[in-house]
Amino acid sequence: MNKQQLFENIKKKQSFLCVGLDTDIKKIPEHLLKEEDPIFAFNKAIIDATADLCIAYKPNLAFYESMGVKGWIAFEKTVNYIKQNYPDQFIIADAKRGDIGNTSAMYARTFFEELDIDSVTVAPYIGEDSVTPFLTYEGKWVILLALTSNKGSHDFQLTEDKDGERLFEKVLRKSQEWANDENMMYVVGATQGRMFEDIRKVVPNHFLLVPGVGAQGGSLEEVCKYGMTKECGLIVNSSRGIIYVDKTENFAAASRKAAQEVQAQMAEQLKAILS
């Protein structure tokens, strides 16, 4: 999926919502534990309930890897289900990979050849040769960690060099030598608020994957005010705030309602750029 196709889907659905499939076997409704594959059963129900309201799904690999082979099987089944039934969805493997070149090449092969996923999150801190193997795949996206939503982001990402350039700004500037806004995005946490202004000074046209709205307390209005571009430029993720709002047999309907509330807010924010 290219950048224009992504934006066209945003316009069509009046949404730039990404539903994070952070599926924890210990948090899903108990009645699903009777299923042959509880994780996939949960994901399938969430996907069917929300697919018309969002433009992307983001399975977080840690939640699947924690279950070993069973988790990987559920992950693959989830990806295949989305691709077969909702082909307009942008799929993000939230894997945060990043290693020396030959190892990164194997990670890239996993997600882009074996699983044929649209994009993968990558940690850039080993440098160019850890990222470029992911960039050799036409039509695939790399989503680099830039400024994350957790409290610990201040430990390193906001540190300044002797010229006053912060580490996240260095990542943004340097990585533009490796790729452009047609195949690279950046992770910027919703809790960073007005820092989106500083982000946009360096990457005015790139899409940003924005976690942290909902359970982590990020403000959608603030993200849009400081981060939205004329092509939207945002994919805003909500995980716990959508998938875990209910633990009864009505969980999917409750998740749909939560997604509808977010989508309605997004439609309002899109009016300014689509009118």
Side-chain angles (χ1 to χ4, degrees):
M1 183 178 296
N2 63 36
K3 187 178 180 182
Q4 186 59 33
Q5 289 171 327
L6 186 56
F7 182 46
E8 290 299 325
N9 208 24
I10 288 170
K11 289 193 291 184
K12 181 178 74 174
K13 292 189 173 183
Q14 293 286 291
S15 174
F16 45 98
L17 173 63
C18 173
V19 175
L21 298 174
D22 297 4
T23 309
D24 185 345
I25 191 73
K26 297 182 179 180
K27 292 183 179 180
I28 65 175
E30 286 189 13
H31 73 275
L32 292 177
L33 299 179
K34 301 174 184 177
E35 298 282 342
E36 181 181 350
D37 188 338
I39 295 296
F40 176 66
F42 178 81
N43 286 352
K44 180 179 180 296
I46 294 291
I47 292 162
D48 288 340
T50 60
D52 62 321
L53 302 168
C54 65
I55 53 95
Y57 286 101
K58 184 175 71 65
N60 186 322
L61 266 293
F63 290 83
Y64 301 89
E65 292 172 335
S66 69
M67 295 184 63
V69 173
K70 290 186 296 184
W72 264 101
I73 291 172
F75 171 71
E76 290 195 48
K77 287 166 66 176
T78 298
V79 168
N80 289 332
Y81 184 77
I82 297 169
K83 287 162 56 178
Q84 292 167 11
N85 295 277
Y86 304 101
D88 64 341
Q89 291 291 339
F90 186 72
I91 304 177
I92 302 166
D94 190 3
K96 300 179 181 69
R97 299 301 197 247
D99 208 321
I100 60 172
N102 62 334
T103 307
S104 278
M106 293 300 102
Y107 284 137
R109 183 187 297 178
T110 299
F111 294 109
F112 292 155
E113 291 187 35
E114 181 67 22
L115 296 168
D116 193 25
I117 291 175
D118 296 300
S119 63
V120 62
T121 56
V122 176
Y125 294 101
I126 293 183
E128 179 181 5
D129 57 333
S130 71
V131 177
T132 49
F134 295 94
L135 294 167
T136 61
Y137 291 85
E138 186 175 354
K140 303 300 185 183
W141 291 80
V142 169
I143 308 179
L144 281 192
L145 302 182
L147 187 57
T148 55
S149 56
N150 60 306
K151 291 181 181 179
S153 64
H154 292 235
D155 291 343
F156 300 113
Q157 296 166 34
L158 297 181
T159 56
E160 299 181 6
D161 64 17
K162 59 182 177 60
D163 299 315
E165 184 179 52
R166 290 165 292 188
L167 182 56
F168 79 87
E169 292 170 320
K170 187 181 294 293
V171 168
L172 294 172
R173 289 193 176 92
K174 184 65 179 177
S175 61
Q176 289 181 77
E177 298 176 10
W178 313 334
N180 57 41
D181 59 15
E182 295 288 341
N183 62 346
M184 183 175 282
M185 304 183 190
Y186 298 98
V187 175
V188 181
T191 55
Q192 298 297 345
R194 291 198 64 166
M195 294 287 283
F196 278 84
E197 285 186 310
D198 295 336
I199 296 281
R200 284 303 185 198
K201 289 175 184 176
V202 186
V203 287
N205 300 313
H206 286 70
F207 262 88
L208 306 179
L209 173 62
V210 184
V213 166
Q216 293 185 55
S219 164
L220 177 62
E221 184 177 5
E222 198 168 55
V223 167
C224 293
K225 180 178 180 180
Y226 299 117
M228 187 175 276
T229 70
K230 64 181 180 180
E231 293 180 322
C232 182
L234 299 171
I235 300 174
V236 173
N237 180 80
S238 179
S239 300
R240 287 170 286 170
I242 289 178
I243 69 174
Y244 292 136
V245 291
D246 187 283
K247 291 191 176 182
T248 71
E249 293 189 2
N250 297 318
F251 74 95
S255 292
R256 177 173 179 79
K257 183 178 179 181
Q260 284 175 320
E261 292 173 358
V262 178
Q263 184 271 332
Q265 295 175 48
M266 290 181 169
E268 281 296 313
Q269 295 294 333
L270 284 168
K271 282 182 180 180
I273 65 169
L274 298 179
S275 58

